[in-house]
Amino acid sequence: MTSPKNGNKPTVKHPAGIQLKMSTLLDEKKIQGRVKEMGEEITKLCKKEDLIAVCVLKGSFMFYADLIRNIDADVRLDFIGCSSYGNATQSSGEVKMTLDLTQGIEGKNVLLVEDIVDSGLTMSFITKTLQARNPKKILSASLLFKPEALKVDYKPDFVGFEIGNEFVVGYGLDYQGYYRNLPYVAVVESLN
Ligand code: 5GP
């Protein structure tokens, strides 16, 4: 697998033999700079509070690892798994929980950490599910937000970057399970 360089639009050979055209949307420096700022914003709000930071698997693992290192508060970690996409680039609209938290959240402050909010269905589903467990407060941080793609009324409390209605990969986000390890975010321009 080759990787696109900044500003280039190479055809990338996908491991399954498909030719992908990608272009870099957010390079590593830009992402790291914004993640640091987001950590500082969250610290300001949560400095004196105990926080359970929840990584929404799988796509947010890289953002989560970088974000929590930039939060200067008493943080405990947990993980939740949801799936809505399968192998397609369009949401099926159906959200399923594939992994639940390992700790109770009643009376606790929860920070949900997501890679991208597209239709908003996943985050509304998770928020509703966790709200029923009576936490003190639920906040959310998403690296990417596609306002034009929203199908429900949802906005994360902390947003890294607003992007257009495009399919992106890298920095945790996949296409058919690949490209999660890219340190930057690229737009997939064509899939043939
Ligand atoms: P939503 O429920 O908001 O439509 O979508 C949330 C999930 O869909 C994300 O956690 C992510 O897994 C997937 N998703 C949405 N948009 C994209 C995208 O542009 N690229 C990739 N790779 N996944 C996306």
Side-chain angles (χ1 to χ4, degrees):
M1 178 169 60
T2 52
S3 326
K5 296 204 169 57
N6 290 354
N8 286 352
K9 294 183 182 177
T11 300
V12 179
K13 195 159 182 321
H14 181 66
I18 306 160
Q19 302 291 311
L20 289 183
K21 278 208 179 93
M22 289 186 190
S23 63
T24 304
L25 180 67
L26 302 166
D27 65 26
E28 202 174 344
K29 197 166 163 225
K30 200 162 180 186
I31 295 172
Q32 292 304 331
R34 182 67 191 121
V35 172
K36 188 167 182 290
E37 284 172 3
M38 290 177 83
E40 288 162 2
E41 288 165 23
I42 293 166
T43 301
K44 262 190 213 150
L45 208 69
C46 304
K47 184 91 189 155
K48 297 190 180 79
E49 313 240 19
D50 231 49
L51 197 62
I52 301 176
V54 175
C55 175
V56 182
L57 293 170
K58 298 176 188 169
S60 73
F61 77 96
M62 209 178 271
F63 170 49
Y64 180 78
D66 287 338
L67 184 67
I68 55 170
R69 278 181 279 187
N70 283 289
I71 299 177
D72 182 15
D74 295 327
V75 181
R76 281 178 293 164
L77 313 189
D78 215 329
F79 300 84
I80 198 165
C82 275
S83 83
S84 65
Y85 256 67
N87 272 341
T89 57
Q90 293 288 308
S91 172
S92 63
E94 191 192 330
V95 183
K96 282 185 217 143
M97 190 179 290
T98 53
L99 179 78
D100 203 350
L101 301 176
T102 56
Q103 58 199 290
I105 55 165
E106 189 170 344
K108 313 277 187 228
N109 295 300
V110 174
L111 174 70
L112 291 173
V113 182
E114 174 67 308
D115 51 357
I116 188 163
V117 172
D118 180 285
S119 67
L121 288 166
T122 305
M123 285 302 271
S124 335
F125 169 82
I126 295 176
T127 307
K128 262 185 221 142
T129 306
L130 297 189
Q131 207 76 62
R133 300 178 190 179
N134 299 319
K136 185 170 170 198
K137 185 165 61 186
I138 298 184
L139 292 169
S140 60
S142 184
L143 179 75
L144 305 174
F145 180 45
K146 294 185 195 173
E148 290 160 34
L150 273 185
K151 290 192 181 140
V152 289
D153 183 20
Y154 181 83
K155 182 160 194 240
D157 299 292
F158 304 94
V159 171
F161 303 92
E162 285 197 4
I163 64 168
N165 200 358
E166 299 166 307
F167 189 78
V168 292
V169 294
Y171 196 65
L173 289 147
D174 75 312
Y175 174 63
Q176 295 191 345
Y178 295 98
Y179 309 111
R180 291 193 195 275
N181 55 329
L182 299 177
Y184 52 86
V185 172
V187 175
V188 177
E189 297 192 340
S190 78
L191 301 171
N192 46 38

